[in-house]
């Protein structure tokens, strides 16, 4: 599995929104209706180019993971609690399939002859990745941050 900068940035942005824009988690892990976080604040806090982040935020909004409010008091918020948004939800919103073979989703890979068994391997890899990313929520990651020892 290749994690693109776009996917990494999307997850970092979603975690920052869930944490209320700060570097530390809110006690509730984000409730889907919390304070609005501005794109510029997200970009600055996470070191993400603003123009790149705006496209990512649009994808996350279109996928129903974020909602936005316009205006000087506007910004972004989660559409549902952080405990109900998985890493897989975010990865699929910005990158499509979790596993690709020659640029196609693993389920679309086709082989014949001696290579016929490869499709099953790629599907198993995709399934294993899905188990991990679909069971890991934003709250899990924010909670892990709270429990991590200071370095």
């Amino acid at each position: 599995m290749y994690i693109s900068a776009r996917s990494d940035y999307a997850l970092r942005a979603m975690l920052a929104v869930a944490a209320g824009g700060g570097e530390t988690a809110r006690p509730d892990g984000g409730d889907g209706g919390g304070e609005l976080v501005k794109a510029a604040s997200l970009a600055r806090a996470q070191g993400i180019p603003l123009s790149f982040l705006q496209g990512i935020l649009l994808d996350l909004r279109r996928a129903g993971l974020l909602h936005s409010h316009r205006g000087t008091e506007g910004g972004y918020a989660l559409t549902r609690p952080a405990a109900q948004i998985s890493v897989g939800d975010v990865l699929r919103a910005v990158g499509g399939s979790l596993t690709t073979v020659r640029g196609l989703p693993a389920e679309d890979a086709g082989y014949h002859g001696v290579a016929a068994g490869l499709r099953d391997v790629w599907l198993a890899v995709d399934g294993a990745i899905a188990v991990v990313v679909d069971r890991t929520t934003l709250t899990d990651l924010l909670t892990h941050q709270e429990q991590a020892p200071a370095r």
Side-chain angles (χ1 to χ4, degrees), residues 92-115:
R92 288 180 187 96
V94 297
S97 296
L98 295 176
T99 307
T100 61
V101 179
R102 297 181 318 272
L104 298 172
E107 60 269 8
D108 292 345
Y111 298 95
H112 60 279
V114 297

Side-chain angles (χ1 to χ4, degrees), residues 102-129:
R102 297 181 318 272
L104 298 172
E107 60 269 8
D108 292 345
Y111 298 95
H112 60 279
V114 297
L118 278 176
R119 183 174 188 273
D120 292 336
V121 171
W122 303 146
L123 290 174
V125 167
D126 186 62
I129 291 168

Side-chain angles (χ1 to χ4, degrees), residues 35-91:
E35 67 184 85
L36 297 173
V37 180
K38 296 186 180 310
S41 297
L42 288 173
R44 192 172 36 260
Q46 292 298 314
I48 302 170
L50 180 58
S51 59
F52 194 40
L53 179 61
Q54 288 172 328
I56 292 167
L57 294 171
L58 180 61
D59 286 346
L60 294 168
R61 190 174 60 78
R62 285 181 180 155
L65 299 176
L66 289 178
H67 61 84
S68 63
H69 296 278
R70 294 180 177 262
T72 57
E73 299 300 317
Y76 291 88
L78 302 180
T79 58
R80 56 187 191 259
Q84 295 176 12
I85 299 174
S86 73
V87 170
D89 293 333
V90 177
L91 293 175

